[in-house]
Amino acid sequence: MTTPQSGGARLRTPAHRVSPRARRWWALRSAIGTLVVLAPQVVAAALWPRVADVLLVTGGLTLVVGVAHALVVPRVRYALHRWEITDDAVHTLSGWLRLEWRIAPISRVQTVDTDRGPLQRAFGLSSVTVTTASSSGALTIDGLDAGDAVVLADRLTRATEHLGGDAT
């Protein structure tokens, strides 16, 4: 899908997918979130028998929604998340319920950061955050192979150094 943008740039679906391992990372994050919400319900049901029936019902609903989320959302995110770096811009497409297409001109890039949390490290993944001189905030590409993230950060850093200026 392409959409005209101001300044002659075109909003299009970026070329590259994130790492396939990102699906497992997103699923595990979802499962952990479900357990964080479910555990207090189970403990409260054990401690307060008067409300145990209600808490077991809400806990069951939490479990059903959590399992559905862990099974569906990572697949949808993987199918939709894209990124691409061209000579002129950083292109991203992210989201699963609400899609966000972003273009950041290379000339506006101020910083490039990589991030690897404990779960990302376990899956060999990394995130790259590109901060720009924009009120829309930074662009983040989650779920990249750790090696690809280093190469991407280096490429963006070299491209911005080559342009010079203060990216404003």
Side-chain angles (χ1 to χ4, degrees), residues 5 12 18 31 41 45 47 49 53 56 64 74 84 86 91 94 102 110 113 127 129 136 140 142 159 161 164 166:
Q5 292 293 302
R12 60 185 172 70
V18 297
Q41 295 176 65
L47 293 175
D53 292 344
L56 290 176
V64 167
E84 184 176 357
T86 64
H91 301 259
S94 61
R102 302 267 314 267
Q110 293 179 324
D113 303 303
S127 296
T129 301
S136 295
T140 301
D142 286 324
E161 287 172 349
D166 63 358

PDB file of all heavy atoms in Angstrom, residues 5 12 18 31 41 45 47 49 53 56 64 74 84 86 91 94 102 110 113 127 129 136 140 142 159 161 164 166:
ATOM      1  N   GLN A   5       2.700  11.346   0.674  1.00  0.00           N
ATOM      2  CA  GLN A   5       3.069  12.097   1.870  1.00  0.00           C
ATOM      3  C   GLN A   5       3.571  13.466   1.443  1.00  0.00           C
ATOM      4  O   GLN A   5       3.960  13.677   0.306  1.00  0.00           O
ATOM      5  CB  GLN A   5       4.180  11.375   2.650  1.00  0.00           C
ATOM      6  CG  GLN A   5       3.729  10.080   3.265  1.00  0.00           C
ATOM      7  CD  GLN A   5       2.721  10.306   4.356  1.00  0.00           C
ATOM      8  OE1 GLN A   5       2.997  10.994   5.313  1.00  0.00           O
ATOM      9  NE2 GLN A   5       1.540   9.754   4.204  1.00  0.00           N
ATOM     10  N   ARG A  12       5.013   3.515   2.245  1.00  0.00           N
ATOM     11  CA  ARG A  12       4.833   2.200   1.636  1.00  0.00           C
ATOM     12  C   ARG A  12       5.198   1.143   2.660  1.00  0.00           C
ATOM     13  O   ARG A  12       5.830   1.428   3.669  1.00  0.00           O
ATOM     14  CB  ARG A  12       5.694   2.069   0.396  1.00  0.00           C
ATOM     15  CG  ARG A  12       7.174   2.242   0.699  1.00  0.00           C
ATOM     16  CD  ARG A  12       7.992   2.224  -0.577  1.00  0.00           C
ATOM     17  NE  ARG A  12       9.352   2.574  -0.344  1.00  0.00           N
ATOM     18  CZ  ARG A  12      10.259   1.836   0.294  1.00  0.00           C
ATOM     19  NH1 ARG A  12       9.914   0.671   0.783  1.00  0.00           N
ATOM     20  NH2 ARG A  12      11.485   2.238   0.447  1.00  0.00           N
ATOM     21  N   VAL A  18      10.752  -8.697  10.721  1.00  0.00           N
ATOM     22  CA  VAL A  18      11.579  -8.915  11.904  1.00  0.00           C
ATOM     23  C   VAL A  18      11.963 -10.394  11.950  1.00  0.00           C
ATOM     24  O   VAL A  18      11.510 -11.189  11.123  1.00  0.00           O
ATOM     25  CB  VAL A  18      10.832  -8.483  13.198  1.00  0.00           C
ATOM     26  CG1 VAL A  18      10.533  -6.990  13.168  1.00  0.00           C
ATOM     27  CG2 VAL A  18       9.561  -9.280  13.403  1.00  0.00           C
ATOM     28  N   ALA A  31       2.475 -14.526  27.789  1.00  0.00           N
ATOM     29  CA  ALA A  31       2.240 -15.538  28.825  1.00  0.00           C
ATOM     30  C   ALA A  31       2.641 -15.016  30.202  1.00  0.00           C
ATOM     31  O   ALA A  31       1.927 -15.236  31.186  1.00  0.00           O
ATOM     32  CB  ALA A  31       3.012 -16.815  28.491  1.00  0.00           C
ATOM     33  N   GLN A  41      -5.269 -13.538  41.443  1.00  0.00           N
ATOM     34  CA  GLN A  41      -6.640 -14.042  41.492  1.00  0.00           C
ATOM     35  C   GLN A  41      -6.686 -15.421  42.148  1.00  0.00           C
ATOM     36  O   GLN A  41      -7.568 -15.707  42.966  1.00  0.00           O
ATOM     37  CB  GLN A  41      -7.229 -14.112  40.078  1.00  0.00           C
ATOM     38  CG  GLN A  41      -7.394 -12.748  39.427  1.00  0.00           C
ATOM     39  CD  GLN A  41      -7.875 -12.865  38.006  1.00  0.00           C
ATOM     40  OE1 GLN A  41      -8.984 -13.312  37.758  1.00  0.00           O
ATOM     41  NE2 GLN A  41      -7.032 -12.454  37.071  1.00  0.00           N
ATOM     42  N   ALA A  45      -8.348 -16.260  45.742  1.00  0.00           N
ATOM     43  CA  ALA A  45      -9.382 -17.295  45.821  1.00  0.00           C
ATOM     44  C   ALA A  45      -9.051 -18.295  46.925  1.00  0.00           C
ATOM     45  O   ALA A  45      -9.946 -18.784  47.629  1.00  0.00           O
ATOM     46  CB  ALA A  45      -9.531 -18.010  44.479  1.00  0.00           C
ATOM     47  N   LEU A  47      -7.222 -17.596  49.632  1.00  0.00           N
ATOM     48  CA  LEU A  47      -7.246 -16.922  50.932  1.00  0.00           C
ATOM     49  C   LEU A  47      -8.643 -16.520  51.388  1.00  0.00           C
ATOM     50  O   LEU A  47      -8.907 -16.467  52.590  1.00  0.00           O
ATOM     51  CB  LEU A  47      -6.354 -15.673  50.893  1.00  0.00           C
ATOM     52  CG  LEU A  47      -4.859 -15.923  50.740  1.00  0.00           C
ATOM     53  CD1 LEU A  47      -4.125 -14.599  50.602  1.00  0.00           C
ATOM     54  CD2 LEU A  47      -4.318 -16.731  51.907  1.00  0.00           C
ATOM     55  N   PRO A  49     -12.285 -17.718  50.814  1.00  0.00           N
ATOM     56  CA  PRO A  49     -13.244 -18.675  50.241  1.00  0.00           C
ATOM     57  C   PRO A  49     -14.589 -18.060  49.848  1.00  0.00           C
ATOM     58  O   PRO A  49     -15.243 -18.561  48.939  1.00  0.00           O
ATOM     59  CB  PRO A  49     -13.430 -19.704  51.354  1.00  0.00           C
ATOM     60  CG  PRO A  49     -12.238 -19.547  52.234  1.00  0.00           C
ATOM     61  CD  PRO A  49     -11.793 -18.138  52.109  1.00  0.00           C
ATOM     62  N   ASP A  53     -15.480 -18.361  44.241  1.00  0.00           N
ATOM     63  CA  ASP A  53     -16.211 -18.673  43.005  1.00  0.00           C
ATOM     64  C   ASP A  53     -16.049 -17.565  41.968  1.00  0.00           C
ATOM     65  O   ASP A  53     -15.772 -17.840  40.790  1.00  0.00           O
ATOM     66  CB  ASP A  53     -17.700 -18.890  43.298  1.00  0.00           C
ATOM     67  CG  ASP A  53     -17.960 -20.152  44.105  1.00  0.00           C
ATOM     68  OD1 ASP A  53     -17.042 -21.008  44.166  1.00  0.00           O
ATOM     69  OD2 ASP A  53     -19.056 -20.274  44.661  1.00  0.00           O
ATOM     70  N   LEU A  56     -12.407 -17.497  40.703  1.00  0.00           N
ATOM     71  CA  LEU A  56     -12.109 -18.611  39.805  1.00  0.00           C
ATOM     72  C   LEU A  56     -12.704 -18.375  38.418  1.00  0.00           C
ATOM     73  O   LEU A  56     -12.088 -18.725  37.406  1.00  0.00           O
ATOM     74  CB  LEU A  56     -12.590 -19.925  40.398  1.00  0.00           C
ATOM     75  CG  LEU A  56     -11.790 -20.399  41.622  1.00  0.00           C
ATOM     76  CD1 LEU A  56     -12.403 -21.664  42.213  1.00  0.00           C
ATOM     77  CD2 LEU A  56     -10.333 -20.618  41.264  1.00  0.00           C
ATOM     78  N   VAL A  64      -8.226 -17.800  29.543  1.00  0.00           N
ATOM     79  CA  VAL A  64      -8.700 -17.963  28.162  1.00  0.00           C
ATOM     80  C   VAL A  64      -8.223 -16.797  27.292  1.00  0.00           C
ATOM     81  O   VAL A  64      -7.684 -16.994  26.190  1.00  0.00           O
ATOM     82  CB  VAL A  64     -10.238 -18.089  28.115  1.00  0.00           C
ATOM     83  CG1 VAL A  64     -10.771 -17.947  26.693  1.00  0.00           C
ATOM     84  CG2 VAL A  64     -10.671 -19.414  28.721  1.00  0.00           C
ATOM     85  N   PRO A  74       1.176 -12.696  18.557  1.00  0.00           N
ATOM     86  CA  PRO A  74       2.511 -12.799  17.968  1.00  0.00           C
ATOM     87  C   PRO A  74       2.483 -13.108  16.466  1.00  0.00           C
ATOM     88  O   PRO A  74       3.299 -12.587  15.704  1.00  0.00           O
ATOM     89  CB  PRO A  74       3.163 -13.945  18.749  1.00  0.00           C
ATOM     90  CG  PRO A  74       2.465 -13.917  20.064  1.00  0.00           C
ATOM     91  CD  PRO A  74       1.045 -13.564  19.735  1.00  0.00           C
ATOM     92  N   GLU A  84      12.656  -0.974   7.041  1.00  0.00           N
ATOM     93  CA  GLU A  84      13.560  -0.825   5.913  1.00  0.00           C
ATOM     94  C   GLU A  84      14.360   0.457   6.098  1.00  0.00           C
ATOM     95  O   GLU A  84      13.836   1.468   6.562  1.00  0.00           O
ATOM     96  CB  GLU A  84      12.764  -0.750   4.604  1.00  0.00           C
ATOM     97  CG  GLU A  84      13.626  -0.688   3.369  1.00  0.00           C
ATOM     98  CD  GLU A  84      12.819  -0.711   2.083  1.00  0.00           C
ATOM     99  OE1 GLU A  84      11.575  -0.838   2.133  1.00  0.00           O
ATOM    100  OE2 GLU A  84      13.449  -0.602   1.019  1.00  0.00           O
ATOM    101  N   THR A  86      16.596   3.002   3.782  1.00  0.00           N
ATOM    102  CA  THR A  86      17.031   3.382   2.438  1.00  0.00           C
ATOM    103  C   THR A  86      18.111   4.449   2.588  1.00  0.00           C
ATOM    104  O   THR A  86      18.433   4.855   3.710  1.00  0.00           O
ATOM    105  CB  THR A  86      15.848   3.934   1.611  1.00  0.00           C
ATOM    106  OG1 THR A  86      15.390   5.142   2.223  1.00  0.00           O
ATOM    107  CG2 THR A  86      14.716   2.914   1.517  1.00  0.00           C
ATOM    108  N   HIS A  91      12.109   3.470   7.396  1.00  0.00           N
ATOM    109  CA  HIS A  91      10.687   3.163   7.222  1.00  0.00           C
ATOM    110  C   HIS A  91      10.311   2.079   8.228  1.00  0.00           C
ATOM    111  O   HIS A  91      11.003   1.066   8.329  1.00  0.00           O
ATOM    112  CB  HIS A  91      10.408   2.611   5.814  1.00  0.00           C
ATOM    113  CG  HIS A  91      10.803   3.541   4.710  1.00  0.00           C
ATOM    114  ND1 HIS A  91       9.895   4.314   4.049  1.00  0.00           N
ATOM    115  CD2 HIS A  91      12.010   3.809   4.154  1.00  0.00           C
ATOM    116  CE1 HIS A  91      10.517   5.023   3.123  1.00  0.00           C
ATOM    117  NE2 HIS A  91      11.811   4.732   3.173  1.00  0.00           N
ATOM    118  N   SER A  94       4.425  -0.943  12.279  1.00  0.00           N
ATOM    119  CA  SER A  94       4.300  -1.721  13.508  1.00  0.00           C
ATOM    120  C   SER A  94       2.871  -1.661  14.022  1.00  0.00           C
ATOM    121  O   SER A  94       2.059  -0.865  13.565  1.00  0.00           O
ATOM    122  CB  SER A  94       5.275  -1.201  14.576  1.00  0.00           C
ATOM    123  OG  SER A  94       4.972   0.149  14.886  1.00  0.00           O
ATOM    124  N   ARG A 102       5.627   4.710   9.689  1.00  0.00           N
ATOM    125  CA  ARG A 102       6.451   5.882   9.989  1.00  0.00           C
ATOM    126  C   ARG A 102       7.598   5.971   8.990  1.00  0.00           C
ATOM    127  O   ARG A 102       8.150   4.954   8.578  1.00  0.00           O
ATOM    128  CB  ARG A 102       7.058   5.788  11.394  1.00  0.00           C
ATOM    129  CG  ARG A 102       6.094   5.658  12.542  1.00  0.00           C
ATOM    130  CD  ARG A 102       5.672   6.945  13.204  1.00  0.00           C
ATOM    131  NE  ARG A 102       6.704   7.895  13.514  1.00  0.00           N
ATOM    132  CZ  ARG A 102       7.344   7.981  14.680  1.00  0.00           C
ATOM    133  NH1 ARG A 102       7.092   7.140  15.652  1.00  0.00           N
ATOM    134  NH2 ARG A 102       8.239   8.919  14.867  1.00  0.00           N
ATOM    135  N   GLN A 110      18.890  11.657  15.077  1.00  0.00           N
ATOM    136  CA  GLN A 110      19.770  12.239  16.078  1.00  0.00           C
ATOM    137  C   GLN A 110      20.571  11.169  16.827  1.00  0.00           C
ATOM    138  O   GLN A 110      21.754  11.332  17.052  1.00  0.00           O
ATOM    139  CB  GLN A 110      18.965  13.084  17.068  1.00  0.00           C
ATOM    140  CG  GLN A 110      18.378  14.316  16.424  1.00  0.00           C
ATOM    141  CD  GLN A 110      17.561  15.136  17.386  1.00  0.00           C
ATOM    142  OE1 GLN A 110      16.872  14.604  18.250  1.00  0.00           O
ATOM    143  NE2 GLN A 110      17.631  16.449  17.232  1.00  0.00           N
ATOM    144  N   ASP A 113      20.010   3.747  19.047  1.00  0.00           N
ATOM    145  CA  ASP A 113      20.278   2.924  20.222  1.00  0.00           C
ATOM    146  C   ASP A 113      19.827   1.499  19.985  1.00  0.00           C
ATOM    147  O   ASP A 113      18.849   1.259  19.273  1.00  0.00           O
ATOM    148  CB  ASP A 113      19.526   3.471  21.443  1.00  0.00           C
ATOM    149  CG  ASP A 113      19.867   4.912  21.746  1.00  0.00           C
ATOM    150  OD1 ASP A 113      21.060   5.194  21.940  1.00  0.00           O
ATOM    151  OD2 ASP A 113      18.947   5.747  21.771  1.00  0.00           O
ATOM    152  N   SER A 127      16.343  -4.728  19.933  1.00  0.00           N
ATOM    153  CA  SER A 127      15.533  -3.636  19.398  1.00  0.00           C
ATOM    154  C   SER A 127      16.460  -2.500  19.008  1.00  0.00           C
ATOM    155  O   SER A 127      17.480  -2.279  19.661  1.00  0.00           O
ATOM    156  CB  SER A 127      14.535  -3.125  20.443  1.00  0.00           C
ATOM    157  OG  SER A 127      13.606  -4.123  20.774  1.00  0.00           O
ATOM    158  N   THR A 129      16.282   1.626  18.370  1.00  0.00           N
ATOM    159  CA  THR A 129      15.482   2.832  18.516  1.00  0.00           C
ATOM    160  C   THR A 129      16.188   3.966  17.800  1.00  0.00           C
ATOM    161  O   THR A 129      17.366   4.225  18.049  1.00  0.00           O
ATOM    162  CB  THR A 129      15.269   3.183  20.000  1.00  0.00           C
ATOM    163  OG1 THR A 129      14.614   2.087  20.633  1.00  0.00           O
ATOM    164  CG2 THR A 129      14.423   4.432  20.161  1.00  0.00           C
ATOM    165  N   SER A 136       6.816  13.466  16.898  1.00  0.00           N
ATOM    166  CA  SER A 136       6.130  12.166  16.917  1.00  0.00           C
ATOM    167  C   SER A 136       6.871  11.124  17.739  1.00  0.00           C
ATOM    168  O   SER A 136       6.352  10.039  17.963  1.00  0.00           O
ATOM    169  CB  SER A 136       5.966  11.635  15.491  1.00  0.00           C
ATOM    170  OG  SER A 136       5.124  12.486  14.769  1.00  0.00           O
ATOM    171  N   THR A 140      10.959   2.697  16.829  1.00  0.00           N
ATOM    172  CA  THR A 140      11.566   1.512  17.413  1.00  0.00           C
ATOM    173  C   THR A 140      11.248   0.305  16.545  1.00  0.00           C
ATOM    174  O   THR A 140      10.104   0.097  16.156  1.00  0.00           O
ATOM    175  CB  THR A 140      11.059   1.277  18.849  1.00  0.00           C
ATOM    176  OG1 THR A 140      11.379   2.424  19.634  1.00  0.00           O
ATOM    177  CG2 THR A 140      11.701   0.049  19.463  1.00  0.00           C
ATOM    178  N   ASP A 142      11.392  -3.510  16.933  1.00  0.00           N
ATOM    179  CA  ASP A 142      11.517  -4.612  17.890  1.00  0.00           C
ATOM    180  C   ASP A 142      11.657  -5.934  17.152  1.00  0.00           C
ATOM    181  O   ASP A 142      11.176  -6.094  16.027  1.00  0.00           O
ATOM    182  CB  ASP A 142      10.271  -4.707  18.773  1.00  0.00           C
ATOM    183  CG  ASP A 142      10.196  -3.611  19.808  1.00  0.00           C
ATOM    184  OD1 ASP A 142      11.247  -3.216  20.327  1.00  0.00           O
ATOM    185  OD2 ASP A 142       9.069  -3.158  20.101  1.00  0.00           O
ATOM    186  N   ALA A 159      25.595   6.636   8.281  1.00  0.00           N
ATOM    187  CA  ALA A 159      24.835   7.481   7.356  1.00  0.00           C
ATOM    188  C   ALA A 159      24.624   8.873   7.932  1.00  0.00           C
ATOM    189  O   ALA A 159      24.750   9.875   7.213  1.00  0.00           O
ATOM    190  CB  ALA A 159      23.493   6.837   7.032  1.00  0.00           C
ATOM    191  N   GLU A 161      26.492  10.336  10.279  1.00  0.00           N
ATOM    192  CA  GLU A 161      27.792  11.006  10.388  1.00  0.00           C
ATOM    193  C   GLU A 161      28.198  11.579   9.033  1.00  0.00           C
ATOM    194  O   GLU A 161      28.763  12.663   8.953  1.00  0.00           O
ATOM    195  CB  GLU A 161      28.866  10.025  10.876  1.00  0.00           C
ATOM    196  CG  GLU A 161      28.751   9.679  12.328  1.00  0.00           C
ATOM    197  CD  GLU A 161      29.700   8.563  12.754  1.00  0.00           C
ATOM    198  OE1 GLU A 161      30.310   7.912  11.862  1.00  0.00           O
ATOM    199  OE2 GLU A 161      29.831   8.339  13.966  1.00  0.00           O
ATOM    200  N   GLY A 164      26.429  14.927   8.362  1.00  0.00           N
ATOM    201  CA  GLY A 164      26.841  16.062   9.186  1.00  0.00           C
ATOM    202  C   GLY A 164      25.612  16.853   9.643  1.00  0.00           C
ATOM    203  O   GLY A 164      24.490  16.418   9.520  1.00  0.00           O
ATOM    204  N   ASP A 166      23.154  19.029  12.483  1.00  0.00           N
ATOM    205  CA  ASP A 166      22.664  18.722  13.825  1.00  0.00           C
ATOM    206  C   ASP A 166      21.306  18.023  13.821  1.00  0.00           C
ATOM    207  O   ASP A 166      20.655  17.902  14.841  1.00  0.00           O
ATOM    208  CB  ASP A 166      22.602  19.984  14.679  1.00  0.00           C
ATOM    209  CG  ASP A 166      21.625  21.012  14.131  1.00  0.00           C
ATOM    210  OD1 ASP A 166      21.020  20.752  13.074  1.00  0.00           O
ATOM    211  OD2 ASP A 166      21.450  22.061  14.760  1.00  0.00           O
TER     212      ASP A 166
END
